[in-house]
Amino acid sequence: MDNHGFGFCTENESRYFYNDCSGCVIPHSNLNKQAQPEQTPTYSEAEDISPEMKLDCSSVHDALIDRSQGFHQLVLVVTRDCNLRCKYCVYSEEKYENMPTLKGDYMTVDTAKKAIKKYFRGFRQVKQVNPSLSPTISFYGGEPLLNFELIKEVVSFSNGKYSGNITFNITTNGVLLSETIIDFFAKHNFFLSISLNGPQSEHNRLRVFPTGKGTFGEIWENLQMLREKHPTYDKRGCGILACYDHGTDLEDLSLFFEEHKETLPPLLRLSPVSASFSNWYDRYSEHQKEKFSKQRENLKETYFSELAGESEVSILLDKMFGFSYKNILMRPQRIKHPHPLKYTATCIPGQKISVNPDGSFHACEKVNDQFPIGNVEQGLNIAKVVDRLKTYKSNIFPECSECSITRLCSVCMATFAGKDAYKRSPPDLCVKLKRDFKTKFEELWTKLENGLDETRIIGVSGHSNQDIQCDRGVNEIIQ
């Protein structure tokens, strides 16, 4: 039997094997009946890259253009200035060793227009292969609303350059929202993502002004203005992004979003404060961590109880637990490895292009400045993309060839992007991920054996908004 995968046992003492080569879960009694070797091909280091995409300029260009994998989204980091100083921000001084601090720089209109021209040139090439593809332009920061005048110019310029529908996304802390800004977003069908970490005490614990004052009051007032002025847009085109950590009272958080599900935009994403390249969680005692863990386990049981019944599953529990279980149920099976770079979930730089205020291109808005892949003057630099892929492969893949969860892996270049190299942080990140997946399989298969209808999970938990789809399961692993 091929050793790529792991065995697990349910509470009913049923034993299974997850075969990572095929993606299938096999009852232990059937292991010796499985065909060999067609259904369990072995991996080798030579197969790190799928045959369709070798690591050279021609193959990478072919993957991005002729295979329709590139130019799916343009992210404009319109400023690296912010009106807040959230305590867990990745740009906070000394919080995250691999990220720069807020630089206070702003993108110019000239830089933005050059980026858009380069993006549409590549996009049109890809669209010839994939006619159904539509362009997506996202605005990011810092706080992007500090550069709202540029955003307006970008929308006008982009609509003049492309006659079809353009999807516009923006992620904001919500403090600067006004009637004028909201009217503009509603008129141009923006997808508006707003950060809100729950009830006032929880939100104000971490999301603060430079003075230390909490920001809940301002954001809440703006959200109510949004709902009153644009009640359909509030639910159709807006969503809430929330973070939590070991200092969060999860029960209060769940109650808040359940009580306000009619008066707030939908909760789109719930993710822990990142533990990568940071000592953030050192501030919490073992007692705090144990209390948090107990609360989380209690809420997980509540989640499964709600699934087993006929009532609606609570919003927060669906986001906290359902997303991962759905991904397991919907995992690719009996097909070749789903990613061109085997072992991790990373995209090819150029699938998404993030542009910094200085005009440099990067693979993602979550990657630091050390890994550029082009600029607004020259466009996407395929040679640099190849170099990034080779460096990523040499830094990360040697430990991946014997991994048991390559089809399930949720990490990518952004997760591994250190200050000067790709590396694992914390060092045992992958160990924790494998342990976490095994636990989830045990929990899920126990519930399925006990009669849970898997369509309850698939039907409830869903994905929303292209701009937040890179939220990875790795974010569930906190210290």
Side-chain angles (χ1 to χ4, degrees), residues 352-371:
K352 176 198 289 188
I353 298 174
S354 178
V355 186
N356 279 354
D358 65 1
S360 59
F361 284 8
H362 300 268
C364 176
E365 70 277 10
K366 297 178 178 67
V367 175
N368 64 44
D369 297 347
Q370 304 302 310
F371 308 95

Side-chain angles (χ1 to χ4, degrees), residues 354-456:
S354 178
V355 186
N356 279 354
D358 65 1
S360 59
F361 284 8
H362 300 268
C364 176
E365 70 277 10
K366 297 178 178 67
V367 175
N368 64 44
D369 297 347
Q370 304 302 310
F371 308 95
I373 56 172
N375 57 57
V376 295
E377 302 297 339
Q378 300 173 342
L380 186 65
N381 188 320
I382 298 297
K384 285 191 174 182
V385 172
V386 172
D387 181 65
R388 297 292 169 261
L389 291 172
K390 287 182 176 179
T391 303
Y392 182 73
K393 177 176 179 289
S394 64
N395 290 168
I396 299 301
F397 279 13
E399 296 182 33
C400 297
S401 61
E402 298 300 320
C403 181
S404 58
I405 58 166
T406 63
R407 284 176 177 264
L408 305 169
C409 184
S410 52
V411 295
C412 69
M413 285 188 180
T415 310
F416 289 139
K419 200 165 189 177
D420 52 9
Y422 299 110
K423 56 187 177 182
R424 290 167 172 80
S425 178
D428 61 348
L429 170 64
C430 293
V431 174
K432 290 180 177 179
L433 274 173
K434 286 185 278 190
R435 184 172 64 225
D436 185 65
F437 270 113
K438 182 177 180 180
T439 298
K440 283 186 169 63
F441 272 80
E442 290 171 345
E443 293 169 341
L444 184 54
W445 257 253
T446 294
K447 301 302 180 182
L448 294 175
E449 287 178 350
N450 292 341
L452 176 65
D453 183 352
E454 65 182 49
T455 60
R456 284 282 284 161

Side-chain angles (χ1 to χ4, degrees), residues 80-108:
R80 286 187 292 190
D81 194 6
C82 191
N83 55 330
L84 306 188
R85 290 298 181 269
C86 299
K87 297 178 182 179
Y88 59 89
C89 176
V90 294
Y91 300 114
S92 298
E93 189 174 1
E94 298 180 352
K95 294 291 192 307
Y96 290 85
E97 63 182 41
N98 66 322
M99 299 297 287
T101 56
L102 291 168
K103 297 181 177 181
D105 48 345
Y106 286 71
M107 181 176 286
T108 66

Side-chain angles (χ1 to χ4, degrees), residues 137-182:
I137 300 176
S138 301
F139 300 94
Y140 202 75
E143 171 47 53
L145 292 185
L146 289 170
N147 207 354
F148 180 61
E149 291 303 314
L150 177 136
I151 293 171
K152 291 195 296 183
E153 294 227 28
V154 165
V155 171
S156 176
F157 183 77
S158 300
N159 285 329
K161 287 290 180 182
Y162 188 79
S163 59
N165 292 326
I166 303 173
T167 299
F168 293 108
N169 296 322
I170 189 167
T171 301
T172 174
N173 59 44
V175 170
L176 297 178
L177 287 173
S178 64
E179 289 192 20
T180 300
I181 291 174
I182 291 170

